[in-house]
Amino acid sequence: MTKIVAVTGNEAVANAFRQAEPDVCAAYPITPQTELMQRFAAFVSNGQVKTELILVESEHSALSACVGAAAAGGRVATATSSQGLALMWEILFIASGLRLPIIMPVVNRALSAPINIHCDHSDAMGARDSGWIQLWSENAQEAYDNTIQAFRIAEHMDIRLPVMVCYDGFIISHSIERIEYLNDEVVKKFIGEYKPLYPLLDIDHPKSYGPLVLTDLYMEVRKAHSEVYKKVPDVVLSIAKDFEKISGRKYELFESYRLDDAEIGIVILNSAAGTTKDVIDEYRDKGVKVGLLKPRLFRPFPYEQIGNALKHLKAVCVLDRADAFGGSFGPLYLDIATSLCNHSKRPLVINRIYGLGGRDYMPEHAAEVIDELIQIADTGKIKSFKEYIGVRE
């Protein structure tokens, strides 16, 4: 049984937290994440959850508190954005290195300087190699669904890794959408009772967390850590199948939209995928065979599966809502190009940077990209590998 509501993305994720009822939640406000924790704090204050809410003085402290609580043996969550995630950077690696299943929505926002409170993906992209699993969300429904699944993924005994659930600041976090909430008991049964692994508070079985490891074993530890990530895609797919049974909503590692018979394609993350799909439909009506691929599991990146999904195309444009300075391509482009590099037959791939600092991504921008891809597919020539769209000179 579901409940249909009209809520913001932040409220939807706060409700997912309420249904999961973590043992400990550390909170520190930062725009545009603040509403999420504000609403969850109300659930705590009203007695709707038994969560211990820790109010800290910084995001660094928030994640540090989560590390301690998770190591002690609790189900733990927090949330952040932008500079907050940047301030956590040191602790991100500790959380993943200790294999602690912390859940953290990241409400994507531009990084300073200059100060900007609006959406782009620079924050989570800057943390993409910190050892956290990353799930990305096109809309509030996906943010809610991904958060619920994140608890199962992180706490799976073969995984035990922290998870970021990424969704666009303001565009998703503050916009009101139609959401289908699952029944509380259904969610609680789906997530299950928390099973601690090597909890520090089990004083009858003492253990050590984060010991000193020098040159004799450090590489071996890192390789063993890396091997865990190979198991993540299968676990994500298995949990998605279970989630489909209770929700009717299907999730995979990525979404393919009209891609199977396409000749050209666009790869894009999060909310801008919806705009792009509408424009693709318009071009399909004109006879243009264009499709879209929207990554959901961004870390670990499913290189083989995505490469196979794109290799038949003639031309692909990867749209990045984050830039990489010093002449490099956008972060999503680099992963897509890597996924294709070992295929003997592969598309020509271009990179377009869009939407930085909350700049609107309009249907005409998607049309501009498709028109360019048509030309590349026809001529086999690329005028520019990396450009900015929607930018004023």
Side-chain angles (χ1 to χ4, degrees):
M1 182 180 233
T2 61
K3 179 181 178 181
I4 298 174
V5 295
V7 296
T8 66
N10 276 341
E11 186 174 354
V13 174
N15 195 61
F17 271 21
R18 180 189 63 79
Q19 293 175 316
E21 196 170 13
D23 298 304
V24 176
C25 191
Y28 191 81
I30 183 170
T31 303
Q33 171 270 117
T34 303
E35 183 201 11
L36 192 172
M37 279 304 179
Q38 179 183 350
R39 290 186 178 276
F40 185 69
F43 294 141
V44 175
S45 178
N46 295 336
Q48 293 172 269
V49 291
K50 297 178 181 178
T51 301
E52 181 72 27
L53 186 67
I54 304 175
L55 305 180
V56 294
E57 80 285 357
S58 74
E59 292 89 354
H60 188 282
S61 296
L63 192 54
S64 296
C66 287
V67 165
R75 174 175 283 159
V76 179
T78 187
T80 194
S81 295
S82 185
Q83 308 301 130
L85 184 61
L87 187 57
M88 290 177 173
W89 200 84
E90 173 191 9
I91 312 301
L92 293 175
F93 287 84
I94 294 172
S96 63
L98 296 181
R99 304 276 300 281
L100 300 175
I102 299 165
I103 306 304
M104 183 166 67
V106 174
V107 187
N108 299 118
R109 171 190 146 184
L111 287 165
S112 299
I115 294 173
N116 182 294
I117 63 169
H118 293 281
C119 173
D120 68 32
H121 300 158
S122 303
D123 49 7
M125 288 298 173
R128 67 190 183 276
D129 297 328
S130 62
W132 286 59
I133 296 168
Q134 288 191 6
L135 300 173
W136 290 67
S137 318
E138 180 180 334
N139 48 47
Q141 184 71 68
E142 289 191 9
Y144 168 80
D145 292 348
N146 279 336
T147 301
I148 291 170
Q149 292 176 71
F151 283 95
R152 276 275 301 272
I153 294 166
E155 296 170 8
H156 193 285
M157 285 300 177
D158 289 342
I159 304 300
R160 308 300 288 197
L161 287 170
V163 180
M164 294 181 194
V165 178
C166 302
Y167 60 99
D168 288 349
F170 291 106
I171 301 168
I172 297 175
S173 65
H174 284 63
S175 296
I176 294 176
E177 297 182 37
R178 177 193 183 278
I179 302 292
E180 292 186 15
Y181 282 156
L182 296 168
N183 179 275
D184 289 357
E185 293 307 313
V186 170
V187 174
K188 290 184 186 301
K189 183 178 179 182
F190 174 81
I191 293 175
E193 184 179 344
Y194 185 71
K195 297 176 182 177
L197 184 65
Y198 308 127
L200 282 173
L201 290 183
D202 181 3
I203 57 176
D204 293 327
H205 301 89
K207 69 279 296 175
S208 176
Y209 270 68
L212 176 68
V213 176
L214 298 177
T215 54
D216 56 340
L217 285 175
Y218 187 82
M219 267 190 81
E220 286 71 23
V221 170
R222 281 301 183 208
K223 184 176 186 299
H225 196 187
S226 179
E227 290 299 312
V228 176
Y229 291 90
K230 295 179 181 179
K231 303 176 184 178
V232 172
D234 287 341
V235 170
V236 169
L237 289 173
S238 174
I239 290 169
K241 286 182 180 178
D242 290 343
F243 187 79
E244 185 179 4
K245 294 174 185 176
I246 65 169
S247 69
R249 294 185 288 275
K250 185 175 182 178
Y251 288 92
E252 296 182 339
L253 304 180
F254 53 87
E255 178 187 348
S256 296
Y257 185 75
R258 309 191 78 162
L259 194 63
D260 289 345
D261 67 336
E263 295 180 350
I264 57 176
I266 294 173
V267 179
I268 197 164
L269 285 166
N270 277 18
S271 62
T275 301
T276 308
K277 290 173 186 175
D278 289 341
V279 178
I280 284 173
D281 289 342
E282 293 174 8
Y283 273 80
R284 280 283 183 165
D285 291 341
K286 300 174 186 176
V288 178
K289 292 184 176 182
V290 55
L292 175 141
L293 187 144
K294 182 192 72 179
R296 174 183 176 238
L297 178 67
F298 182 68
R299 281 295 180 271
F301 196 80
Y303 291 98
E304 182 179 353
Q305 296 92 329
I306 285 180
N308 287 332
L310 295 173
K311 65 182 181 180
H312 68 284
L313 301 174
K314 295 179 180 179
V316 171
C317 179
V318 181
L319 284 157
D320 268 285
R321 202 165 202 153
D323 204 354
F325 303 111
S328 181
F329 293 97
L332 180 58
Y333 175 91
L334 294 174
D335 282 319
I336 295 299
T338 302
S339 72
L340 290 165
C341 69
N342 288 323
H343 291 280
S344 57
K345 185 180 180 182
R346 56 184 180 268
L348 297 170
V349 187
I350 60 172
N351 189 203
R352 297 294 177 261
I353 309 297
Y354 77 99
L356 302 182
R359 178 65 57 85
D360 286 336
Y361 173 74
M362 305 299 289
E364 54 263 32
H365 297 143
E368 176 186 327
V369 167
I370 294 172
D371 289 340
E372 185 174 9
L373 287 173
I374 292 170
Q375 188 175 24
I376 292 171
D378 288 343
T379 65
K381 295 180 180 179
I382 296 175
K383 291 182 180 179
S384 177
F385 284 97
K386 179 184 176 182
E387 291 288 350
Y388 297 78
I389 61 172
V391 66
R392 293 187 290 273
E393 295 298 331

